[in-house]
Structure formats: C-alpha cells, structure tokens
C-alpha cells in the first residue's frame, strides 16, 4: 500500500509544507469513534461495517495520522464521526473565529469524506478548493484493485461489440 500511496502522499507533503511556510492555518481532520462504536449511525452501511470490524476506534493505530502529514504544534485536530468534517464538530467555529472563508481540502477518501466536506462547506458559504491528488490515486491505485475502471466511451464501445 505504501508504494501505491507514495506519489500522492509526496505531493500532499509538499502542499502541506508550502501552506505552513505561507502561515496558512492548517486543520487536520480525524475520523474516530468511541470504543465499541456506540456513536455510529446504525442506518448507514459504511458505519455499520466500520463497527463490525472495529475500524477507526479512538486510541488505536487506525486513527493515527501518517507521520509525513501529522499535525505539528499550533495546528488543530478536529475529530469527526460522520462524512462531513462539519457535522457535529468544532470546525466551523475554528474557521469563524479566525475569519477564514476559503478551504483547501485534501485527503485519502476523496470520493467520500472530502466530497462530503466540500459539499457541506459550499452550502455554508465557504470558498472550496479540492486538491486532485488523492482522487487520481483512488482512480489509478485503489479502484483497479476492486474492479475495472473504464471511461464512458470505453463502456459504450464494449456494449457495441
């Protein structure tokens, strides 16, 4: 997995270093549930599955930040228990008291957590910038392990055969 993550991770590390150098506020978001997952939504399959395997439990290695992108002194960590980083967290307050209106989002689960947070941020009036690094990673490195990734043209052409 590390080999597949390396190119996107390297670019993310560079972006994080540039943000820090420019003194841009950095907020890290961590998905973590309490031991036993009593705080999951029992009506959503992905959270039910997380509970069944004990994923993302507070205090376990599965919620630790990967060292190259881990928070440093002065950076905030927001712990979430839902798709959007705004749902039930202090994120909006942290942004508001710093008079921040532009968010740059990057993360490993682009088609889920990043997209959910981006949609929520847009609805709340924020300017949203999403770095494409991890979306490309998902399309080229993760999804091919699950199934075939094809374009719409490739799919329609295959139907004609």
């Amino acid at each position: 997995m590390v080999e597949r993550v390396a190119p996107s991770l390297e670019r993310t590390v560079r972006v994080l270093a540039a943000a820090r150098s420019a003194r841009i506020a950095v907020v890290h978001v961590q998905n973590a549930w309490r031991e036993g997952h009593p705080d999951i939504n029992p009506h959503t399959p992905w959270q039910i599955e997380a509970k069944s395997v004990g994923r993302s439990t507070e205090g376990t290695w599965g919620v630790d930040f990967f060292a190259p992108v881990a928070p440093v002194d002065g950076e905030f960590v927001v712990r979430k228990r839902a798709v959007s980083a705004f749902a039930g967290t202090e994120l909006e307050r942290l942004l508001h008291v710093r008079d921040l209106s532009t968010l740059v989002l990057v993360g490993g689960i682009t088609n889920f957590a990043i997209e959910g947070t981006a949609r929520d941020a847009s609805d709340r009036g924020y300017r949203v910038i999403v770095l494409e690094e991890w979306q490309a990673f998902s399309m080229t490195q993760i999804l091919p392990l699950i199934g075939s990734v094809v374009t719409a043209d490739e799919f329609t052409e295959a139907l004609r055969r």
Side-chain angles (χ1 to χ4, degrees):
M1 179 70 167
V2 173
E3 294 83 28
R4 291 194 315 265
V5 172
S8 291
L9 182 61
E10 289 169 12
R11 290 186 292 270
T12 301
V13 168
R14 284 198 317 267
V15 166
L16 183 56
R20 288 171 173 159
S21 212
R23 298 183 163 280
I24 292 174
V26 175
V27 178
H28 301 264
V29 178
Q30 176 185 61
N31 192 86
W33 289 291
R34 292 174 181 88
E35 179 69 35
H37 294 69
D39 42 3
I40 67 153
N41 178 347
H43 306 291
T44 58
W46 73 274
Q47 289 191 17
I48 293 167
E49 191 268 337
K51 179 179 181 176
S52 73
V53 297
R55 186 174 54 244
S56 300
T57 302
E58 288 179 351
T60 67
W61 68 269
V63 297
D64 289 343
F65 289 99
F66 195 54
V69 294
V72 298
D73 288 342
E75 295 176 347
F76 290 103
V77 175
V78 170
R79 182 169 287 161
K80 71 182 185 80
R81 302 178 198 284
V83 175
S84 170
F86 287 98
T89 74
E90 63 180 339
L91 178 58
E92 188 151 39
R93 180 184 177 280
L94 292 174
L95 299 172
H96 179 72
V97 299
R98 283 162 186 74
D99 199 25
L100 300 173
S101 60
T102 300
L103 304 182
V104 179
L105 305 175
V106 63
I109 309 176
T110 310
N111 65 329
F112 204 67
I114 296 299
E115 183 177 339
T117 300
R119 289 174 186 268
D120 199 353
S122 176
D123 287 346
R124 293 168 187 260
Y126 291 94
R127 177 178 179 224
V128 178
I129 300 168
V130 178
L131 300 183
E132 70 178 348
E133 302 306 323
W134 288 95
Q135 182 66 27
F137 171 76
S138 179
M139 295 300 267
T140 62
Q141 302 296 319
I142 299 298
L143 292 174
L145 298 175
I146 298 168
S148 298
V149 176
V150 299
T151 65
D153 289 342
E154 290 169 335
F155 179 76
T156 54
E157 180 61 33
L159 292 177
R160 291 187 198 126
R161 294 183 199 153

